[in-house]
Amino acid sequence: MNALYETTPISTQEELHQLLQSLCDPKYREFHAALVPGLDDFYGVRTPALRKLGSALLKSDPWGFLAECRGRNYEEKMLRAQVIGGVKTDQETLLGLIEDFIPLVDNWAVCDGFCTYLKAVKKNPEAFLPYVTSLVEADPEREPYRVRVGLVLLLKYYLGPDYLEKSLALCDQVESGHYYVNMAQAWLVATAMGADFDRTLAYLKGCRLNRFTYNKAIQKSVESYLVDGETKEMLKLMRKKG
């Protein structure tokens, strides 16, 4: 592995391009392409190496990186996501960085990785809730990944006792035929099952999710290690046919 970036800041797009090329792994590129449909503009850098590079950028010149390297392909987007999530700044500036990044989100992997890096939301969920709500309430047909970002933030940071019912209600408002929006809704419900089974089951019995999403939520709940065997059998009986 090229370790030059550990001591040398990356200050231009061309420097970043050359470094990512040196870190690419053709076998991993082929493997990862199968996991993320439609992904064609990427180097094939393994996740540990990419995270190590992101950590180095945060320690060297994160603001210079954000200003110069805009996120032209998958790895650059993931690096930008990590730097945005880790840079020290105030909430208003961070919200601006998040809003600037969302148009770059065009697949589930960038979306979910970005949400995982946003630890500021976890630390102060109440302050970020209005913005997260606005993401979920966007038009899912016009901006599906904006909505998915909101849903994934809800399932990661808003399924505690104070927010679970709000998160389920927001999930229920989303009406979409977009596969990755529906899968985020199903994932949210299944995760909520592990957080508070009784309240989530009550929601599921009266929800407005489309049949595909509803059944995916059941499937993901059945697959979850947080749900016991007896409960899984009950959930299987709740599947909608047709």
Side-chain angles (χ1 to χ4, degrees):
M1 179 185 295
N2 186 337
L4 181 62
Y5 62 81
E6 296 181 29
T7 56
T8 305
I10 303 301
S11 57
T12 69
Q13 187 76 47
E14 182 57 30
E15 287 176 352
L16 180 62
H17 168 71
Q18 292 177 0
L19 177 56
L20 289 172
Q21 278 192 319
S22 74
L23 294 172
C24 71
D25 183 329
K27 290 184 178 180
Y28 179 74
R29 189 182 193 282
E30 183 178 354
F31 167 77
H32 197 60
L35 295 179
V36 187
L39 186 63
D40 52 9
D41 188 8
F42 71 112
Y43 294 90
V45 179
R46 289 183 177 272
T47 300
L50 201 61
R51 287 179 178 167
K52 191 173 183 179
L53 174 54
S55 295
L57 291 168
L58 281 166
K59 293 175 182 177
S60 57
D61 182 16
W63 293 107
F65 169 78
L66 291 174
E68 295 296 328
C69 304
R70 302 300 300 171
R72 300 183 306 181
N73 56 46
Y74 174 76
E75 282 88 355
E76 292 178 15
K77 291 174 185 178
M78 292 299 283
L79 286 172
R80 189 171 184 84
Q82 185 175 349
V83 173
I84 289 172
V87 72
K88 294 181 180 179
T89 188
D90 58 84
Q91 181 181 329
E92 182 178 357
T93 302
L94 179 57
L95 285 173
L97 291 171
I98 293 171
E99 185 64 19
D100 179 67
F101 184 81
I102 285 178
L104 300 179
V105 180
D106 57 2
N107 62 70
W108 68 263
V110 171
C111 170
D112 299 359
F114 181 46
C115 294
T116 298
Y117 288 128
L118 292 177
K119 300 303 184 184
V121 181
K122 181 179 181 179
K123 292 178 180 177
N124 196 356
E126 189 65 27
F128 285 91
L129 183 57
Y131 180 71
V132 175
T133 299
S134 74
L135 296 177
V136 180
E137 292 179 341
D139 182 350
E141 306 312 311
R142 193 165 58 89
E143 299 180 285
Y145 284 104
R146 173 177 288 269
V147 177
R148 183 178 169 100
V149 167
L151 289 167
V152 175
L153 287 173
L154 287 179
L155 74 87
K156 285 184 176 294
Y157 307 123
Y158 292 92
L159 293 183
D162 295 335
Y163 298 105
L164 184 136
E165 290 185 358
K166 171 71 172 178
S167 294
L168 290 173
L170 285 169
C171 178
D172 210 45
Q173 292 176 16
V174 177
E175 297 182 9
S176 175
H178 191 282
Y179 178 80
Y180 288 105
V181 171
N182 292 161
M183 291 301 288
Q185 289 175 281
W187 182 18
L188 187 154
V189 174
T191 307
M193 280 283 184
D196 189 323
F197 176 78
D198 291 336
R199 285 202 286 175
T200 306
L201 181 63
Y203 157 76
L204 199 57
K205 288 180 177 179
C207 72
R208 299 180 297 174
L209 299 175
N210 63 46
R211 184 172 60 84
F212 171 83
T213 306
Y214 174 92
N215 285 339
K216 278 294 180 182
I218 295 288
Q219 176 186 331
K220 287 181 173 292
S221 298
V222 169
E223 293 171 351
S224 172
Y225 68 90
L226 297 174
V227 178
D228 62 58
E230 183 178 348
T231 302
K232 289 180 180 182
E233 293 306 312
M234 179 194 71
L235 290 171
K236 290 177 183 178
L237 297 175
M238 293 175 58
R239 290 172 175 155
K240 294 182 178 180
K241 299 179 180 180

